[in-house]
Amino acid sequence: MRNSTLLGWRLALLALAVTVAPAWASDDRPRPAPIVLEGELTGELHETYLELPFEVPPGIERVSVSLDYDQDNRTVIDMGLRDPNGLRGWSGGARRSFTLSASEATPSYTPGPIIPGTWRLILGAPNVRASSRSAYRAEITLTPEGEQVPESAFFDGPIRAGPAWYRGDFHTHTGHSDGSCESLAGRRVPCPAFRTLEAARRAGLDFVAVTEHNTVSHHGPLRELQPYYDTILIIPGREITTFKGHLNVFGPLGELDFQLGSPRLPSLEQMLKEVEGRGGFSSINHPGMPSGEACMGCGWIVGDIDFSQVAAVEVVNGGSMLLTRSPEGPLSHIPFWEGLLDQGHRLAAIAGSDNHDPDNLGRQSPVGRPTTVVYAANLSQRALFDAVRAGRVFVDLEAIPGRHLDLTAKSMDAEVRMGGVLRLAQGETASLTVETHGVENAEIEWVAGANAPALRLSSQELAQLDGSRRQTVTLTGVGRPYWVRANIRNQEGELVLIGSPVYIEEK
């Protein structure tokens, strides 16, 4: 009698539990509706398992599950998951939510292909008292291939709320590509990802991007580590390493073709479009480096591409700066960036340490040096990406917290900040003010594009004790677009802060 009653309960629960997601059109690909599995556990289900089926259609990139239930009279529900081929993981009662995809998964679950077919959410009931009636509700989200990148890849929402200047490193490597460090016994080993994150924490960074060469194997460890390093936003990235140049892509978690010149990737257009379309962004890495045997594929010789699909240029790279001892000179990356600005492309200036060993600082630029400083609406992946695209970025070469640089352009009827566009009629004038602090005896250097008229200094404030300085120049509409930006040099004349431009266009 008890077995038949239990079977009836299970059949009833299975029949009523599943709300099937509707199919979506291949043209506009709307997101599938969440699948809801709900029911009630009673004492008869004590020390039993339920396997609740749901359908996963083709074209799904990620499966995410969250569970809520009444803990009446100390009811406990464990959780696991099966795909059509077998067990994908078991977290027991340790967590209420998890996610998995081809490249990474919540600890307790196995990354791997999202196979179309019937999946089963496993609910175990290690404790349900005889008199208990505990309702449960599981919500399953199916993310289609090509979906927009999440607000934060490995964290629920922003790491920190509110607008601020956030400091970080957009270029690091671990043992998931060619990063290495010394083991406890002093042997050279592939360096685990937590060592890079620990270095970022010690440097006081707000965010760090881990950008392995062409692979996504680091995404799993990063998902595991993000809950512990919950003061630092961890950004999934990749250094797309080709024979004709390197570029970093940030955001997408799925596979990207990198074999430039092969049938898999005849040109970069396909990949750049995919990254941009998914809400990520791309930056060209160390373009001033040589190519060939001296540094295979390091310099940028890709040729003409659609630069509207590129958001930034790595104007300072920690590795190349160690070689040249300066961000300027024959191997500087700044002239490449400014040449693109002169062509009318609006690209932000970012930087990265390119660190491959968080310990060996004699031969490696430390994690976080140079630092990219971004003014974002909050400390989330999406807000940082939006701010980089908007050009609200400057580079701190010496990685000294508290240093600041910003521009304000103001006409009779408009005001924009660094990265913004100010429209002026021919002959109309406007003011452009730079504000900086944190650099003792700072020297302001104005840099204007090839199409810009001569700048006229209109006002300046003397340096304050905290290194604050303000200086204003006059801009004039000349019937053609141009750009203006500012650098900050120290009293020895060394470049220490690099600002992104303000753009002037015809009204």
Side-chain angles (χ1 to χ4, degrees):
M1 179 68 179
R2 188 181 186 280
N3 287 341
S4 62
T5 303
L6 181 58
L7 179 61
W9 266 99
R10 287 176 172 167
L11 291 174
L13 285 169
L14 295 180
L16 297 174
V18 182
T19 302
V20 180
W24 63 93
S26 58
D27 295 337
D28 50 13
R29 297 177 59 82
R31 191 179 186 124
I35 297 171
V36 175
L37 309 175
E38 54 189 354
E40 187 177 63
L41 295 183
T42 68
E44 288 187 324
L45 296 178
H46 175 67
E47 294 185 348
T48 65
Y49 296 96
L50 299 176
E51 292 198 7
L52 307 180
F54 61 94
E55 294 300 315
V56 174
I60 295 298
E61 182 175 279
R62 176 177 304 278
V63 175
S64 302
V65 178
S66 63
L67 174 69
D68 192 24
Y69 66 93
D70 297 333
Q71 293 180 289
D72 175 55
N73 289 328
R74 302 184 68 173
T75 294
V76 175
I77 299 180
D78 293 341
M79 188 163 51
L81 188 69
R82 292 185 183 277
D83 71 13
N85 290 340
L87 188 68
R88 288 295 290 266
W90 176 258
S91 52
R95 58 189 94 254
R96 294 288 191 93
S97 63
F98 62 85
T99 188
L100 67 162
S101 72
S103 67
E104 43 81 32
T106 301
S108 304
Y109 294 87
T110 304
I114 304 302
I115 305 165
T118 301
W119 291 50
R120 287 175 170 82
L121 178 65
I122 311 168
L123 299 183
N127 192 64
V128 187
R129 291 182 176 178
S131 60
S132 294
R133 303 182 69 86
S134 297
Y136 67 83
R137 185 180 192 276
E139 186 169 299
I140 300 168
T141 303
L142 304 178
T143 303
E145 295 172 353
E147 186 77 349
Q148 287 284 305
V149 297
E151 183 176 18
S152 296
F154 310 121
F155 199 80
D156 185 15
I159 294 286
R160 202 175 312 152
W165 288 97
Y166 295 108
R167 303 176 63 85
D169 190 337
F170 274 120
H171 194 163
T172 67
H173 295 276
T174 77
H176 284 268
S177 55
D178 54 349
S180 63
C181 58
E182 288 189 0
S183 69
L184 296 179
R187 291 190 296 270
R188 203 77 193 160
V189 298
C191 205
F194 83 89
R195 299 300 306 279
T196 291
L197 301 185
E198 188 60 22
R201 184 192 66 81
R202 291 195 305 269
L205 299 186
D206 300 306
F207 66 89
V208 61
V210 182
T211 53
E212 308 294 11
H213 295 283
N214 300 330
T215 187
V216 294
S217 66
H218 54 304
H219 293 167
L222 297 183
R223 181 173 288 282
E224 179 180 359
L225 290 164
Q226 178 70 94
Y228 179 79
Y229 288 97
D230 57 356
T231 61
I232 303 169
L233 178 69
I234 303 173
I235 298 173
R238 254 164 289 178
E239 184 167 16
I240 303 298
T241 308
T242 81
F243 302 139
K244 296 184 179 298
H246 299 184
L247 70 159
N248 276 350
V249 298
F250 306 96
L253 293 164
E255 181 181 346
L256 290 171
D257 288 320
F258 63 90
Q259 296 166 250
L260 181 62
S262 77
R264 293 185 181 276
L265 189 65
S267 73
L268 280 179
E269 305 293 332
Q270 169 188 332
M271 189 200 65
L272 292 173
K273 185 176 181 180
E274 180 178 353
V275 172
E276 188 74 12
R278 296 184 65 169
F281 81 90
S282 304
S283 72
I284 295 173
N285 289 351
H286 43 68
M289 291 292 288
S291 285
E293 290 185 0
C295 191
M296 290 178 287
C298 294
W300 189 259
I301 55 173
V302 171
D304 190 33
I305 63 170
D306 182 2
F307 285 103
S308 68
Q309 304 285 352
V310 178
V313 173
E314 187 183 69
V315 298
V316 184
N317 173 277
S320 60
M321 211 169 96
L322 280 179
L323 292 174
T324 61
R325 305 297 175 186
S326 170
E328 301 177 285
L331 299 182
S332 175
H333 314 309
I334 298 172
F336 176 89
W337 171 54
E338 292 183 338
L340 293 177
L341 297 179
D342 282 339
Q343 294 172 33
H345 304 295
R346 297 176 190 164
L347 301 166
I350 67 171
S353 66
D354 204 356
N355 180 276
H356 287 67
D357 181 350
D359 299 327
N360 192 348
L361 303 185
R363 294 187 302 169
Q364 294 283 315
S365 187
V367 172
R369 181 171 182 173
T371 302
T372 306
V373 191
V374 184
Y375 187 81
N378 56 58
L379 186 52
S380 70
Q381 178 174 282
R382 193 173 296 162
L384 280 174
F385 291 4
D386 287 345
V388 169
R389 291 191 199 93
R392 295 289 283 137
V393 184
F394 71 89
V395 172
D396 178 359
L397 280 78
E398 295 180 327
I400 297 177
R403 286 187 166 177
H404 174 74
L405 169 64
D406 202 3
L407 296 175
T408 305
K410 190 174 183 179
S411 66
M412 289 292 292
D413 53 7
E415 180 176 318
V416 300
R417 293 279 188 170
M418 185 165 59
V421 178
L422 187 70
R423 290 176 171 79
L424 298 177
Q426 189 158 355
E428 183 182 1
T429 60
S431 63
L432 178 61
T433 301
V434 61
E435 295 179 79
T436 185
H437 61 251
V439 181
E440 187 176 355
N441 297 318
E443 292 296 329
I444 296 170
E445 176 185 44
W446 291 99
V447 185
N451 295 325
L455 303 179
R456 178 168 56 84
L457 183 67
S458 51
S459 71
Q460 107 176 15
E461 293 182 4
L462 296 177
Q464 305 299 310
L465 291 178
D466 65 352
S468 296
R469 286 203 66 182
R470 178 195 296 261
Q471 193 175 96
T472 301
V473 295
T474 298
L475 303 175
T476 306
V478 290
R480 60 182 182 271
Y482 63 92
W483 55 269
V484 181
R485 63 179 195 85
N487 290 329
I488 305 300
R489 296 183 180 271
N490 61 20
Q491 57 188 344
E492 286 79 33
E494 298 168 328
L495 188 60
V496 292
L497 301 179
I498 299 172
S500 291
V502 161
Y503 301 94
I504 308 302
E505 290 194 349
E506 187 176 6
K507 185 184 286 185

